[in-house]
Amino acid sequence: MPARQRRLLAAAFTAAACLGAQSLALTTAGAATESTASADVVSRGVTIPAFYTPPTTLPTADGTLIRTEPLPLALSLPGLDGTLPGTATRLMYKSTDSNGQPVAVTGAYIEPSADWSGTGPRPLVAVAPGTLGQGDQCSASMGLEHPLSLNSQTVSVGYEDLAIYRLLAEGVAVVVTDYVGLGATDRLHTYVNRTDEAHAVLDAVRAARSVGGASVTAASPVGLYGYSQGGGATAAAAELQSSYAPDVTLAGTYAGAPPADLTSVTEAIDGSELAGALGWSLNGFLQSDPDLKPLAEAHLNDAGKAALTDLSTMCVADALLGYGYTKSTSWTTDGQSISDIIASTPALKDFLDSQRIGTLKPSGPVRLATGVSDNLVPHAQARGLALDWCAKGANVTYKAVVLPGVGSALLNHFAPLLTDQTDAISWLTDRLTGRPAVSNCWTMPVQP
C-alpha cells in the first residue's frame, strides 16, 4: 500500500474513532442480567464473554497461548487486500504475576492489511493501554469491538484504538494487552503494578508470534508503545526485558507520561477529576499483597471501603462522574489523606517504593515524553525518570511537551497524548526500520 494511501487510511480511521462511527453499543443493565445464565460474569450490566474466564490449569511457559477467537473490529472497511485495517484475534495467554504465580492475561492481535514499507520482516508493536478502569468491561480488547459502550451503569471508551489504527496503517502488526485482571474475570486488575504490567506486555509479544495466520516471527523487530498507565507499563517492560524476556529484543520503547513514582502520583491525583484512580491503586495493591489488608481495614472508614468496592467495577468515565474531585480524607477513619497514611506507614511506603521505575537501565532506545504542565501524572517525576535512565547510560530521547496549563489536571495530562502522538509513532517506526536513535541526555540540564 503506497504511503499516501496509508496516510489517508490513518486519517479516515482517526476521524471514525473520534466520531464513534459504528461503535455505539447500547444495552440496559436489567436486560443483560436477565438474559444471562447464572454462570456468566456481568460487570455493571455488561456480560463479559465466556472467553475471558480463565481455565483452572495454565500452561507452564510464559507467553503461551491459552485460547484465541476471531475479534470483530467495530471500525473496519472492506479493501482490495482484505478488511481494513486488518484481521483481529482475541487472545488469552499465560504470564507470571509479581508474586511469581501463573496468571492468564487477555488481549488482542491485529494482522494489518497494509504492507510493511520497510525492509525485513513485518515489525510488531505491543501497545500498553492507558488508564481504562478496573471493571472487566473496560478492557482494551473489548474496546476494539465496542469503542463506545454504554448503559445505565457504565460508560467505556476505547480511546487507545486511535494509536492502534495509526500503527496498523503503517503496516505494523499490533498486539495489545489487557493487563493482569482487566478482562480476565478471575481477579481484580492490579492497576499500576510495575511487574504485572511489564510481564503482561512482554508476554503479549511472545503470544503474538504464535497466533495462527500472523506474519510476525521471532525475527520481527519489536517496539513498545504506551502513555500514562501504558507509559509506566512500557517503561517497566524495557527495564525488565533483559531478565524476564531475553528472547524479546526491543528495537525501541515509547513511554509517555509514565507514573514512575507512585508516591508523587498518589498525592497529585487525590482530589483531582481522576481521584477514583486512588481506589484502583489501592484495590490493586491489596490484590497483589494481601498482607496489606489489615492496614486497609484499620485506616478506611465505611465510605472508603464502599468506594473501593464501587470503583472495582468502574471504567474511567464512571469514575469521573462518580468520584471526580473526591478527597481521600473522606475515606479514612481519622481524616488523614492516603498520602499521609502512606508516609507514616513503613509497609505501605516500602510497597510503593518497590513499584518505583528508574532503578534499572532499560533495554534498547527509549523515548520518554512528558507534558510540562501535567499535574496529574506530575511532569517532575517523569522528567526524573529520564534523569535516572540517563545516569545509567541508557539511550534516552527525552521530549518535554510544552503546552499551556489549564484549570483541568485531566486535560493537562491528556493533551500531550494527542499532540505528541504523531511524533511518538514516527520515532517508533524509525526504530523498527533500523534507523539508530541518538540520545539527547546531554541536553537535560536545559530541558524543562
Side-chain angles (χ1 to χ4, degrees):
M1 181 181 290
R4 183 173 179 274
Q5 287 181 291
R6 289 200 304 273
R7 289 194 295 270
L8 288 173
L9 176 60
F13 279 108
T14 297
C18 292
L19 293 172
Q22 305 177 23
S23 66
L24 186 60
L26 291 172
T27 62
T28 62
T33 301
E34 292 167 2
S35 64
T36 301
S38 59
D40 289 340
V41 175
V42 178
S43 181
R44 291 191 174 266
V46 178
T47 300
I48 309 302
F51 181 94
Y52 289 86
T53 299
T56 54
T57 303
L58 301 180
T60 301
D62 291 321
T64 300
L65 285 174
I66 298 170
R67 62 173 69 122
T68 65
E69 69 175 18
L71 172 62
L73 296 174
L75 302 175
S76 60
L77 294 171
L80 294 177
D81 299 321
T83 302
L84 301 174
T87 302
T89 302
R90 204 185 315 266
L91 311 177
M92 180 181 284
Y93 59 93
K94 188 263 181 180
S95 189
T96 297
D97 69 15
S98 57
N99 294 314
Q101 297 301 307
V103 63
V105 181
T106 57
Y109 171 79
I110 307 101
E111 176 74 17
S113 300
D115 294 331
W116 168 237
S117 59
T119 59
R122 187 191 299 277
L124 172 69
V125 168
V127 172
T131 296
L132 296 172
Q134 203 158 41
D136 290 324
Q137 78 278 12
C138 318
S139 67
S141 62
M142 291 185 69
L144 285 164
E145 187 174 3
H146 302 294
L148 175 59
S149 180
L150 61 89
N151 61 25
S152 60
Q153 297 183 45
T154 188
V155 181
S156 177
V157 181
Y159 63 86
E160 288 290 5
D161 293 2
L162 176 58
I164 292 169
Y165 277 48
R166 294 184 71 173
L167 288 163
L168 293 171
E170 296 293 331
V172 175
V174 173
V175 64
V176 57
T177 181
D178 290 334
Y179 299 127
V180 173
L182 188 58
T185 58
D186 61 333
R187 65 178 70 196
L188 277 179
H189 170 41
T190 48
Y191 183 67
V192 296
N193 180 308
R194 64 186 291 274
T195 302
D196 281 10
E197 292 180 344
H199 289 183
V201 169
L202 294 167
D203 286 326
V205 172
R206 290 164 158 162
R209 296 168 175 171
S210 301
V211 173
S215 59
V216 296
T217 68
S220 297
V222 175
L224 307 180
Y225 177 98
Y227 186 90
S228 191
Q229 180 187 2
T234 58
E239 288 191 347
L240 296 181
Q241 176 273 327
S242 59
S243 60
Y244 182 76
D247 55 307
V248 178
T249 301
L250 299 179
T253 296
Y254 167 65
D261 180 357
L262 294 187
T263 300
S264 173
V265 176
T266 296
E267 185 174 359
I269 63 177
D270 197 345
S272 74
E273 297 104 310
L274 201 57
L278 278 176
W280 296 331
S281 300
L282 293 173
N283 281 333
F285 298 161
L286 296 174
Q287 171 73 52
S288 298
D289 189 352
D291 289 342
L292 298 177
K293 288 183 179 179
L295 293 173
E297 287 289 330
H299 287 288
L300 293 175
N301 59 24
D302 289 344
K305 293 171 185 177
L308 263 60
T309 299
D310 196 22
L311 283 158
S312 70
T313 57
M314 281 188 168
C315 300
V316 169
D318 309 329
L320 293 176
L321 294 171
Y323 292 93
Y325 302 106
T326 296
K327 294 185 182 297
S328 65
T329 52
S330 66
W331 291 353
T332 61
T333 55
D334 57 5
Q336 288 191 88
S337 69
I338 296 296
S339 291
D340 288 339
I341 292 171
I342 290 170
S344 62
T345 309
L348 291 172
K349 190 174 184 302
D350 289 346
F351 185 87
L352 260 66
D353 286 346
S354 73
Q355 300 299 322
R356 182 69 179 262
I357 305 171
T359 62
L360 300 171
K361 179 182 177 180
S363 298
V366 293
R367 182 180 189 272
L368 192 156
T370 168
V372 298
S373 298
D374 192 342
N375 54 339
L376 189 71
V377 179
H379 165 69
Q381 60 86 43
R383 185 183 187 278
L385 174 59
L387 290 171
D388 290 339
W389 279 347
C390 286
K392 291 174 173 57
N395 184 342
V396 179
T397 299
Y398 171 78
K399 174 64 180 295
V401 182
V402 180
L403 294 172
V406 296
S408 165
L410 187 63
L411 290 179
N412 288 338
H413 176 62
F414 187 72
L417 165 66
L418 298 177
T419 60
D420 187 55
Q421 190 172 83
T422 297
D423 289 345
I425 291 175
S426 177
W427 181 91
L428 193 55
T429 52
D430 280 348
R431 307 290 78 76
L432 297 172
T433 59
R435 296 188 181 96
V438 179
S439 173
N440 67 350
C441 281
W442 63 275
T443 69
M444 290 305 297
V446 296
Q447 289 268 27

